[in-house]
Amino acid sequence: MGKIEWAMWANEQALASGLILLTGGIVGVAGQFRGWPFAAYIISAAGVFVCLLEYPRSKRAKGTSVERTGQYCFTVCVKSFGPLTRNYYVRAFLHAAICVPGGFMLATVLGCVCLGIASLIYLAAAIRGEHWEPVLPQKETTRKTDPVSVRNPPEMPPPRPPPEVRRKRVDDLEGAAYDNPIPVSDK
Amino acid sequence: MGNFAANEGLSIFVILVWLGINAFLFVHFYMAFLVERWFYTRVLLGHALSWARAPAACLNFNCMLILLPVCRNLLSFLRGTIQCCSRTAARQLDRNLTFHKLVAYMIAFHTAVHIGAHLFNFEFFMDAQLDRNSSLLPFILSEIGTGDNASFLNPIRTNETSPTIVMFTTIAGLTGVVITLALILIITSSMEVIRRSYFEVFWYTHHLFVIFFIGLVFHGFGRIVRGQTAASLKTNRPDVCADQFEDWGNNGSECAVPEFAGNPPMTWKWVVGPMILYVCERLVRLYRSHQKVVITKVVMHPSKTLELQMKRKGFHMEVGQYVFIQCPSVSRLEWHPFTLTSAPEEDYFSAHIRIVGDWTQALYEACGGDKTEPQEAWKLPKLAIDGPFGTASEDVFRYEVVMLVGAGIGVTPFASILKSVWYKRIQNNQDVFTKKIYFYWLCPETQAFEWFADLLQSLEGQMAEKGVTDFLSYNIYLTRWKETEAAHFRVHHEAENDPITGLKQKTLYGKPNWDNEFTHIASKHPGTKVGVFLCGPPQLGKSLEKQSLSHTEGDVKFIFNKENF
């Protein structure tokens, strides 16, 4: 399992935990369970916060990153917190702290434990040196090589068709014509 | 529409039956808890009792089903038996993983409903203990069994506790938490992103299902859901006695104190069968892994593709099937699927393995891929093979004219088909029904051509030898190229052999114009049924299906087969 980026799994787990916390909080409020105002509010807020934080996927160190639908605005928000969201130690600690209030109400215990597990996986990711990178759309395309090569004088003759084609065929002038393979410009 | 019904009809029928059974179980068990026996339980819990028991029944059903689609050896055996009767039915068995995922989603959904209802149940049980007022029926009911602990109704026995503590101190609660956690971990590690990038994490975490099933079986052992016993119903009829709860057990009262008992655990009856089948499946895989597989030849293709030619006693394959390969020296626990690229007529079987991850890289090195000199036969790693699996693609041979379309690595099953058709036609002197094959290979890069180009080259050579050059007509489309490569192609345009593949038939650039292709084939083969087979992305499938429908006119019919490669 050498090349795994643990943060990817931690992200899925944390997002799921956020949703579970949110659902637990909503059930707590709907059922008017004991302690519902305080606990349910905290848990729903925590659930919403965790979901917002975890929704944008990080850019992978190796390989193509698959974005979640519409994650660009979330990426921008999360990116604006700089090192707080970039560093996974901070995230691990944050999730561990958020999950504790969930343990006090039955409806949110499950979300609490799941978030705790996500926090542990983030810790593993942080120890391995991973960090969060925003996935930004690529605005610049690398088209720098083409103009450069035209400015320098060519060092090798252009490729020509094989000699039998180049030989002048008086009987078939149409067929003797050929296009230059590399575009020639006056620059 | 007919095409759709033929291709999808049976799948949709199976799904509808499954959903129907789920709905039936839900409603049936919901109603089952609305009877007299559960009257007093409902005084405490209301309808939350039914809302918890109904998904529990559905969970029993779905947990029974979920192990079955992954018993691939059992499915293989079933497929062999069914295939003689109905190939459509046999092909349904190829959709086993889709069904497994659907059942998993249903389990997740029912788990959510079940947990939600039980949250309410815990809360109501706690409420009954906290309102310690003798003029309330719930409190009286909760007090039953306090002194003698015999036949209590309320599993929460004291008011000096909390639902959370009760959950962690009952068998049902503890197993419930454990199995739900296992389920959540299994689901998050099975997301497509994780599965495609880090198969090992997905595979190892998935083994938490063992904990899931053990916890599931023990979940009901605490008999925490309690209803009135049959004997007690005679001495305390709820419709009469419910209002007289202050007089229960007193002299002169016609109502005795009710007695309760829990239901015996039912889940094991549902899941024990599939669990045994799955254990047998793993034993079969273990047995197979000890059967000797000999690597007869290893070929390193330049495009990071490793070809392994192997032999195993008693191995019998058909076109288009796949095997699972395990290499103990690389990893003792991983089995990876690969399509077979050899034809059944050959005396060995082969797989072409692309080197894309940890396991394939390690296999490459174990076979001596990074060394320059050939390896001694005894140095090659020991392998284990499970399979072959998959419905044979024999439909190809049922058409007189066939269009085969493969995109990128999707061409792999066609290697097997092309070779097999060739062998049938030439070497066995059989009169093959298939007279003409049109083969289209769409590829984004030149590198992937190499090993398949070798195959086509040898076929081309053999066809020229036998003078049968118009049997196979293949078109290779290069869909992406660099500027520098384009220059090279332009220069060698007039050469006899194609600059990329070395074949006589030239590589074409860009995507094929399907309209033209279909029209061309229709005009050359009037009055025939043309089979169209695809192994590639779904968008291509949709456009081919549309073209097949629109060009089916007059006497020529294009039949698009959604083969599940």
Side-chain angles (χ1 to χ4, degrees):
Chain A
M1 287 200 268
K3 297 196 199 80
I4 173 167
E5 287 178 45
W6 291 104
M8 284 179 71
W9 185 25
N11 172 266
E12 300 286 334
Q13 179 72 13
L15 188 62
S17 314
L19 289 170
I20 295 173
L21 271 179
L22 192 58
T23 317
I26 290 174
V27 168
V29 170
Q32 305 264 297
F33 293 168
R34 252 175 306 281
W36 73 267
F38 165 72
Y41 168 72
I42 293 285
I43 290 350
S44 299
V48 169
F49 173 70
V50 167
C51 286
L52 289 176
L53 176 63
E54 296 293 339
Y55 190 73
R57 278 209 184 102
S58 164
K59 195 161 160 196
R60 285 173 65 172
K62 258 176 79 172
T64 41
S65 319
V66 179
E67 286 185 29
R68 293 203 176 97
T69 333
Q71 80 167 36
Y72 180 61
C73 21
F74 296 97
T75 310
V76 169
C77 294
V78 174
K79 181 163 124 42
S80 60
F81 284 93
L84 277 182
T85 44
R86 200 179 127 89
N87 189 314
Y88 281 148
Y89 280 111
V90 171
R91 262 197 216 203
F93 179 71
L94 194 67
H95 287 324
I98 290 178
C99 80
V100 167
F104 290 103
M105 192 165 130
L106 185 63
T108 48
V109 159
L110 189 64
C112 156
V113 182
C114 288
L115 196 55
I117 294 180
S119 160
L120 286 173
I121 309 179
Y122 264 127
L123 190 62
I127 292 175
R128 287 192 73 242
E130 297 171 26
H131 57 264
W132 189 82
E133 276 287 334
V135 177
L136 296 166
Q138 274 170 325
K139 299 239 169 62
E140 333 86 53
T141 45
T142 49
R143 305 268 302 165
K144 300 194 196 89
T145 52
D146 282 11
V148 169
S149 66
V150 174
R151 273 185 227 121
N152 291 335
E155 285 158 295
M156 285 193 346
R160 292 193 185 82
E164 60 265 27
V165 179
R166 265 187 287 142
R167 211 171 298 127
K168 196 149 177 152
R169 291 190 281 178
V170 279
D171 47 354
D172 183 11
L173 282 171
E174 304 257 51
Y178 62 88
D179 296 335
N180 264 324
I182 287 186
V184 176
S185 67
D186 283 328
K187 289 211 192 91
Chain B
M1 191 59 206
N3 227 346
F4 178 76
N7 277 321
E8 303 289 347
L10 192 53
S11 301
I12 295 186
F13 177 70
V14 168
I15 300 291
L16 285 176
V17 167
W18 170 66
L19 285 174
I21 296 180
N22 269 293
F24 167 74
L25 283 172
F26 196 94
V27 172
H28 176 81
F29 276 83
Y30 191 94
M31 311 291 269
F33 283 84
L34 297 179
V35 298
E36 277 300 284
R37 183 169 169 230
W38 302 96
F39 182 87
Y40 290 120
T41 324
R42 285 203 310 282
V43 167
L44 292 183
L45 300 178
H47 274 247
L49 172 69
S50 287
W51 277 107
R53 300 306 308 159
C58 293
L59 278 173
N60 283 336
F61 174 61
N62 285 300
C63 290
M64 174 184 79
L65 286 183
I66 197 153
L67 281 178
L68 298 175
V70 287
C71 295
R72 51 178 189 248
N73 282 295
L74 168 71
L75 291 181
S76 209
F77 168 73
L78 272 178
R79 188 182 290 115
T81 328
I82 297 180
Q83 212 160 249
C84 16
C85 311
S86 160
R87 284 190 40 84
T88 327
R91 216 173 304 140
Q92 291 314 307
L93 295 174
D94 286 339
R95 307 244 175 110
N96 54 340
L97 285 181
T98 312
F99 190 62
H100 180 81
K101 286 183 220 172
L102 275 178
V103 175
Y105 287 136
M106 193 60 113
I107 288 181
F109 170 71
H110 281 301
T111 305
V113 178
H114 182 76
I115 293 180
H118 272 320
L119 288 176
F120 281 91
N121 287 337
F122 268 90
E123 195 67 19
F124 293 151
F125 276 142
M126 198 69 223
D127 280 341
Q129 282 287 3
L130 288 178
D131 289 333
R132 302 192 83 82
N133 185 340
S134 298
S135 60
L136 291 173
L137 177 55
F139 178 60
I140 297 290
L141 286 170
S142 306
E143 285 287 278
I144 294 176
T146 306
D148 50 8
N149 218 16
S151 61
F152 61 85
L153 171 61
N154 190 335
I156 302 186
R157 303 306 312 145
T158 144
N159 62 335
E160 289 166 13
T161 179
S162 80
T164 318
I165 297 176
V166 172
M167 183 178 75
F168 281 108
T169 50
T170 47
I171 297 180
L174 197 54
T175 51
V177 171
V178 168
I179 66 182
T180 311
L181 268 180
L183 183 68
I184 291 174
L185 284 172
I186 289 176
I187 291 179
T188 53
S189 65
S190 308
M191 300 267 91
E192 183 136 5
V193 182
I194 310 279
R195 212 169 67 231
R196 297 227 179 273
S197 321
Y198 311 114
F199 192 80
E200 291 89 353
V201 167
F202 155 71
W203 184 237
Y204 291 135
T205 317
H206 230 71
H207 281 80
L208 283 171
F209 77 85
V210 174
I211 297 183
F212 180 84
F213 273 92
I214 294 176
L216 189 68
V217 168
F218 284 108
H219 190 57
F221 270 50
R223 307 195 185 210
I224 202 172
V225 177
R226 306 175 74 87
Q228 216 172 346
T229 57
S232 173
L233 275 171
K234 296 196 184 86
T235 56
N236 181 324
R237 282 180 48 213
D239 51 345
V240 171
C241 299
D243 300 322
Q244 303 173 22
F245 60 88
E246 278 153 349
D247 288 333
W248 284 342
N250 290 344
N251 288 342
S253 162
E254 54 184 16
C255 302
V257 176
E259 285 167 7
F260 302 97
N263 272 345
M266 296 286 291
T267 306
W268 69 270
K269 294 181 196 167
W270 291 83
V271 299
V272 72
M275 278 167 82
I276 291 178
L277 281 175
Y278 190 75
V279 168
C280 291
E281 161 76 23
R282 292 303 281 252
L283 287 174
V284 167
R285 290 189 206 173
L286 190 65
Y287 168 70
R288 288 269 182 98
S289 69
H290 285 292
Q291 276 187 311
K292 203 163 143 93
V293 174
V294 174
I295 302 182
T296 53
K297 195 162 161 190
V298 175
V299 182
M300 301 294 175
H301 292 277
S303 51
K304 291 183 75 135
T305 306
L306 171 70
E307 179 187 347
L308 291 177
Q309 292 183 5
M310 300 162 273
K311 283 199 206 209
R312 189 183 82 182
K313 191 168 151 194
F315 187 87
H316 172 72
M317 66 167 278
E318 296 177 54
V319 283
Q321 291 195 301
Y322 62 95
V323 290
F324 279 80
I325 300 182
Q326 181 216 34
C327 187
S329 58
V330 170
S331 166
R332 295 201 67 94
L333 293 172
E334 293 175 46
W335 293 75
H336 293 265
F338 296 99
T339 313
L340 290 168
T341 47
S342 57
E345 289 83 5
E346 291 170 322
D347 59 352
Y348 61 87
F349 62 95
S350 72
H352 282 70
I353 300 170
R354 283 191 69 211
I355 301 169
V356 283
D358 279 358
W359 187 85
T360 39
Q361 178 69 28
L363 183 68
Y364 171 74
E365 283 159 24
C367 294
D370 40 359
K371 304 191 179 61
T372 44
E373 67 282 341
Q375 288 285 91
E376 302 280 336
W378 56 269
K379 282 203 196 135
L380 290 172
K382 200 166 76 115
L383 285 187
I385 298 283
D386 198 12
F389 303 109
T391 309
S393 318
E394 275 169 5
D395 277 352
V396 174
F397 304 128
R398 295 216 180 129
Y399 293 93
E400 216 179 305
V401 179
V402 161
M403 269 179 81
L404 304 175
V405 181
I409 197 69
V411 76
T412 319
F414 293 123
S416 172
I417 294 177
L418 283 179
K419 280 200 242 185
S420 184
V421 173
W422 179 246
Y423 280 117
K424 281 191 166 72
R425 170 90 189 233
I426 296 302
Q427 293 190 353
N428 297 355
N429 269 333
Q430 275 175 26
D431 210 8
V432 188
F433 188 59
T434 312
K435 297 281 181 288
K436 177 81 183 172
I437 298 182
Y438 290 91
F439 182 65
Y440 295 86
W441 188 17
L442 283 64
C443 220
E445 44 161 11
T446 55
Q447 276 188 327
F449 280 118
E450 322 282 358
W451 70 267
F452 198 72
D454 285 344
L455 165 68
L456 287 178
Q457 240 179 351
S458 81
L459 276 181
E460 200 177 40
Q462 288 176 39
M463 287 196 293
E465 253 177 67
K466 305 273 178 175
V468 188
T469 39
D470 61 345
F471 172 63
L472 170 69
S473 139
Y474 49 88
N475 305 280
I476 305 175
Y477 287 83
L478 180 64
T479 50
R480 258 189 259 156
W481 58 87
K482 298 205 241 323
E483 284 289 327
T484 42
E485 286 176 339
H488 181 74
F489 305 151
R490 197 60 195 79
V491 165
H492 290 96
H493 185 67
E494 300 292 321
E496 195 189 324
N497 283 12
D498 185 79
I500 306 171
T501 57
L503 294 163
K504 294 228 182 328
Q505 207 145 68
K506 290 295 165 54
T507 309
L508 300 149
Y509 303 99
K511 296 206 176 109
N513 185 330
W514 291 114
D515 218 16
N516 285 354
E517 299 294 329
F518 274 82
T519 317
H520 173 72
I521 294 177
S523 61
K524 290 195 80 168
H525 300 274
T528 43
K529 270 202 208 153
V530 182
V532 181
F533 295 83
L534 167 72
C535 183
Q539 308 98 289
L540 186 53
K542 286 198 183 69
S543 73
L544 282 180
E545 198 170 9
K546 268 208 307 246
Q547 293 287 349
S548 306
L549 285 172
S550 62
H551 286 270
T552 299
E553 61 210 353
D555 43 4
V556 65
K557 273 219 259 288
F558 286 94
I559 300 173
F560 180 67
N561 284 263
K562 270 177 91 170
E563 282 288 338
N564 191 18
F565 285 118

